[in-house]
Amino acid sequence: MANQEDEREEELSAITAIFPELVLDEKNPFKATIDLPVAPASPLTVVFPFPVDGAPPLSNLLTPPGSDNEGRKASAAAPWEIRHLSYLPPLRLHIILPAGYPAEKAPQVQLSTSPAWLPKDVTRNLEAECAELWEEYGHGQVVFAYIDYLQQAAERGFDLAERAGGMLEVAQDMKIALLDFDIEAKREKFEQETFDCGVCLEPKKGSSCHRMVRCGHVFCVPCLQDFYNNAITEGDVASIKCLAPDCGKDRRGNTAQSTQRKKKRERTLNPSELLQIPLERTAVQRYVELKRKKKLESDKTTVYCPRTWCQGPARSKKYPKVTNLSQIVESDSDSETETPPKNEPKDLPPSADRLRICEDCNYAFCRVCLSGWHGEFVRCWPRSNTELTEEEKASYDYIRLHTSPCPTCSSPCQKTMGCNHMNCFQCRTHFCYLCGAWLDAGNPYQHFNQPDKGCYMRLWELEGGDEGNGEVHFDGARGWEAAIAAANEADAAQGNQDQNRDGPAPPGVPPEAPRPPRTDDDPPPVVALQQMQLDEATELENDLWNDIRQRQALDRRLQRPAPQPPQPRRRQRDPAPAAAPAAANAAAPPEPRVGLQRFLQMVRNDEEDGWDSDELEDVDGGWDIPER
């Protein structure tokens, strides 16, 4: 009996030296307890079913092991949730070495977990394995061998992946405990390691670092706090992402498709991760508001308040207003290059869907006519472009003539100085300011070195900005805009000249009929402008020739002798007195020399337009005007 006690004490003493975490019972020296960590080599897939009445059994929703979609649900509406856990609560082993051990009796073992996540059938099989080992070892000491067997089983995940569907089903009430334990275990292991910060490149302990949730890159907390706080203060929401330069990049080539795939993987960080770094709640709240504002502005279906002093967005179920950070739930599909929303249908929305309420001032209005809410049974008309105010028209014309749209997101961009290589702040697209062509991000200046391009050797054109430089030629969409603007300015200038020359129309005279609208058969604005200038030149030439003809006729008339008045006939029966001829000559009208002198004086003073031609008598029946 003493030898058996010595053997039990000897075995427990040896196991305690190997496993310091072994705890002996104070009341029973042959009773011990040990917690064995459970960290499977491959993350264990755990299923948390929801308590839904009438839901199909889990075995019907799981795909068979070995398939491409192994571990995924077969139905999108399946009432359960899947998580992959790398650490699980430890397996607690209670050992009792009874009297007569090891020669006569096997050790008594009991396994348990807290919470009880391990299935009971698996627990019973593991407990039965102890007696089998005792038999295999010929009734010898098997405590160490049994502990080693449990450790190997925990590393394999207790072969739970070989069960139906390759998943472990756990009750929903254990979800929070299992997830918290997995996070804490990963954090403890991370804090014990040493990493090189990707920003300052200095070795730091894991306790002062943060690992990115999506990609796993490690940075020290001070570097992340400085960068993210500055980005949030400046409103640069797109920079709130992993700071590794190669994170999410496609290494297979710099093609258009690979660039698009790369942009889709550039995702901004979740606000909950910013709180884990940690950042102040005020900074995270501002980040959430800026991110929501950016989404609202990029969505074409967003309706804004018609009040000029408010103009806040209407309440949206798609982008709800966040008042508490604990209510934030974002999916992993949130990326920087979101899919642009589809355009609204051409048909007007039904009357029941026209009510909108401003989230800032709580003003209820109609989304179609932008008036106060008038109910569902009132007919309203949509607002057209002809109903724009003068300020809106002036703003639109300025943006249209003095900006170049981005070829990707159509954001208007204006250059104040520098070269014509532009980089859109909204989507980071490289494009040409003159023609709007996409530029290669690796070599954007190649576009300006190709002789067959319209922008050849024009990199530094408009170096001081394009405002006030309407004479510069644009090759892209703004080319027609500049031509139309030039034609409109010419029409306005011609109208002002005609009004100043002709003066206001007399009363009773109908105004000139408006020009008919331009059709597809009409010449382009540039051709019409050239034709208008040619017509004006022809009219001026005809006026000049008429003036030359009048001056030549006047000169020939001045060179002729003055016409003599006709002499009255004398009657033979009534002899005239001797002084009759003299009296007749005295009674003759004066020669028109005074009128001619006055006309010449007016010609010298360039006032011949006010001369009345009736003052001269056309004696010779007209003036001789040479032909051209």
Side-chain angles (χ1 to χ4, degrees):
M1 192 71 179
N3 293 334
Q4 294 178 354
E5 293 181 358
D6 294 341
E7 290 182 2
R8 289 186 293 176
E9 292 178 357
E10 181 181 355
E11 184 175 8
L12 290 177
S13 177
I15 294 176
T16 304
I18 299 174
F19 301 100
E21 60 271 19
L22 184 69
V23 179
L24 298 176
D25 192 355
E26 297 179 356
K27 298 180 180 180
N28 188 356
F30 302 108
K31 183 178 180 180
T33 304
I34 185 174
D35 290 337
L36 302 178
V38 180
S42 299
L44 185 62
T45 303
V46 182
V47 179
F48 301 98
F50 293 101
V52 179
D53 296 337
L58 183 63
S59 58
N60 296 341
L61 298 176
L62 299 178
T63 56
S67 61
D68 296 338
N69 296 327
E70 181 180 357
R72 297 183 180 274
K73 54 187 178 181
S75 175
W80 42 283
E81 182 181 0
I82 298 178
R83 292 299 180 96
H84 303 278
L85 304 181
S86 300
Y87 298 92
L88 292 166
L91 177 67
R92 176 162 293 184
L93 170 63
H94 299 274
I95 305 175
I96 299 177
L97 300 180
Y101 173 83
E104 299 178 356
K105 295 182 179 180
Q108 299 177 3
V109 296
Q110 183 181 2
L111 300 175
S112 62
T113 57
S114 179
W117 60 269
L118 193 62
K120 293 183 178 181
D121 57 340
V122 177
T123 303
R124 288 193 297 266
N125 294 335
L126 293 176
E127 292 174 352
E129 187 67 23
C130 180
E132 296 179 1
L133 286 176
W134 181 68
E135 293 290 344
E136 291 179 1
Y137 277 74
H139 298 187
Q141 297 178 353
V142 295
V143 176
F144 175 79
Y146 183 64
I147 294 176
D148 181 67
Y149 168 78
L150 293 179
Q151 288 179 337
Q152 294 180 7
E155 186 177 358
R156 297 193 312 269
F158 303 107
D159 299 329
L160 296 175
E162 299 179 359
R163 298 168 67 91
M167 299 182 183
L168 173 64
E169 182 179 358
V170 181
Q172 184 68 219
D173 55 355
M174 303 182 189
K175 172 184 173 182
I176 298 178
L178 295 182
L179 295 181
D180 290 345
F181 183 86
D182 182 63
I183 294 174
E184 283 296 327
K186 290 180 179 178
R187 184 64 186 176
E188 291 178 0
K189 183 179 179 181
F190 177 75
E191 291 178 352
Q192 296 174 359
E193 300 178 3
T194 303
F195 303 92
D196 292 335
C197 176
V199 177
C200 62
L201 305 179
E202 295 182 0
K204 299 291 183 64
K205 293 293 292 184
S207 57
S208 60
C209 295
H210 174 76
R211 187 195 297 272
M212 294 296 173
V213 176
R214 290 194 181 102
C215 57
H217 291 106
V218 179
F219 305 93
C220 67
V221 172
C223 292
L224 292 179
Q225 289 177 344
D226 292 343
F227 181 83
Y228 291 149
N229 285 330
N230 292 335
I232 293 175
T233 302
E234 296 176 359
D236 189 5
V237 180
S239 298
I240 311 298
K241 56 186 179 181
C242 179
L243 302 184
D246 58 343
C247 182
K249 287 190 175 181
D250 194 343
R251 303 176 183 272
R252 291 175 290 181
N254 190 16
T255 61
Q257 296 180 355
S258 63
T259 303
Q260 185 67 17
R261 288 193 295 267
K262 175 191 69 174
K263 289 184 177 180
K264 288 185 178 180
R265 284 193 293 270
E266 292 179 354
R267 300 167 179 172
T268 55
L269 299 184
N270 194 295
S272 60
E273 186 174 0
L274 296 179
L275 294 175
Q276 296 174 9
I277 290 179
L279 265 64
E280 296 182 359
R281 298 185 66 88
T282 55
V284 179
Q285 182 72 30
R286 171 176 168 80
Y287 167 68
V288 172
E289 293 175 356
L290 291 175
K291 194 173 182 180
R292 177 176 177 269
K293 180 180 179 183
K294 182 179 179 182
K295 292 180 180 179
L296 288 173
E297 292 176 350
S298 61
D299 193 347
K300 295 182 179 180
T301 61
T302 303
V303 182
Y304 294 92
C305 179
R307 290 178 171 177
T308 57
W309 55 267
C310 178
Q311 295 187 354
R315 297 176 185 175
S316 173
K317 296 181 180 179
K318 187 177 181 181
Y319 308 110
K321 190 173 183 179
V322 179
T323 57
N324 190 358
L325 292 179
S326 60
Q327 301 175 354
I328 299 176
V329 178
E330 293 185 345
S331 62
D332 294 339
S333 61
D334 183 19
S335 60
E336 183 63 26
T337 57
E338 300 174 354
T339 304
K342 298 181 180 179
N343 295 332
E344 291 185 347
K346 295 182 179 179
D347 298 336
L348 294 178
S351 300
D353 193 26
R354 296 185 181 185
L355 173 62
R356 290 295 181 269
I357 301 177
C358 178
E359 64 180 21
D360 293 340
C361 64
N362 295 327
Y363 176 63
F365 61 95
C366 176
R367 61 172 295 189
V368 175
C369 64
L370 299 181
S371 301
W373 180 239
H374 43 63
E376 300 180 5
F377 303 100
V378 176
R379 186 177 183 179
C380 61
W381 299 97
R383 193 182 186 201
S384 61
N385 295 331
T386 58
E387 300 177 12
L388 298 178
T389 63
E390 294 297 332
E391 295 180 357
E392 293 173 340
K393 291 181 180 179
S395 177
Y396 173 75
D397 293 339
Y398 181 88
I399 293 175
R400 180 171 52 87
L401 295 176
H402 296 93
T403 61
S404 290
C406 173
T408 301
C409 63
S410 300
S411 297
C413 304
Q414 184 181 25
K415 187 185 71 172
T416 56
M417 62 179 300
C419 64
N420 291 318
H421 165 218
M422 303 294 291
N423 187 7
C424 180
F425 181 81
Q426 181 74 14
C427 62
R428 305 296 183 184
T429 299
H430 297 260
F431 66 96
C432 175
Y433 189 70
L434 296 178
C435 64
W438 280 278
L439 302 182
D440 185 9
N443 187 10
Y445 302 102
Q446 181 182 2
H447 173 76
F448 303 94
N449 297 330
Q450 298 179 3
D452 56 338
K453 300 291 184 181
C455 300
Y456 176 65
M457 301 296 290
R458 300 176 64 189
L459 175 63
W460 291 100
E461 195 168 320
L462 292 176
E463 181 179 1
D466 73 334
E467 187 175 5
N469 295 282
E471 69 277 0
V472 179
H473 174 64
F474 289 90
D475 295 331
R478 293 185 60 189
W480 280 111
E481 299 286 350
I484 294 174
N488 293 336
E489 292 178 0
D491 292 341
Q494 180 65 25
N496 294 334
Q497 293 179 0
D498 296 342
Q499 183 177 3
N500 295 333
R501 181 178 59 188
D502 301 337
V509 179
E512 183 181 359
R515 298 182 179 180
R518 186 175 178 271
T519 61
D520 296 339
D521 298 335
D522 295 340
V526 177
V527 179
L529 179 61
Q530 296 176 353
Q531 183 65 32
M532 180 182 64
Q533 295 176 352
L534 180 60
D535 295 342
E536 292 179 357
T538 304
E539 183 179 357
L540 293 175
E541 184 180 3
N542 293 334
D543 295 341
L544 180 60
W545 277 107
N546 293 333
D547 189 27
I548 292 175
R549 293 193 188 98
Q550 294 178 4
R551 292 179 182 273
Q552 290 178 353
L554 178 61
D555 294 341
R556 288 196 302 271
R557 182 166 184 176
L558 294 177
Q559 293 177 0
R560 295 180 181 180
Q564 299 293 334
Q567 298 292 334
R569 295 182 180 181
R570 296 180 179 179
R571 298 181 180 180
Q572 295 180 0
R573 297 180 183 179
D574 186 9
N585 292 335
E591 297 181 359
R593 296 293 181 178
V594 178
L596 291 176
Q597 293 297 333
R598 180 172 176 270
F599 178 75
L600 292 176
Q601 183 65 27
M602 295 180 70
V603 170
R604 296 188 188 96
N605 298 334
D606 197 12
E607 299 176 353
E608 64 272 15
D609 293 340
W611 172 256
D612 187 3
S613 59
D614 294 338
E615 298 183 13
L616 292 178
E617 182 181 2
D618 191 2
V619 179
D620 51 357
W623 292 343
D624 186 11
I625 301 175
E627 296 292 339
R628 283 192 290 161

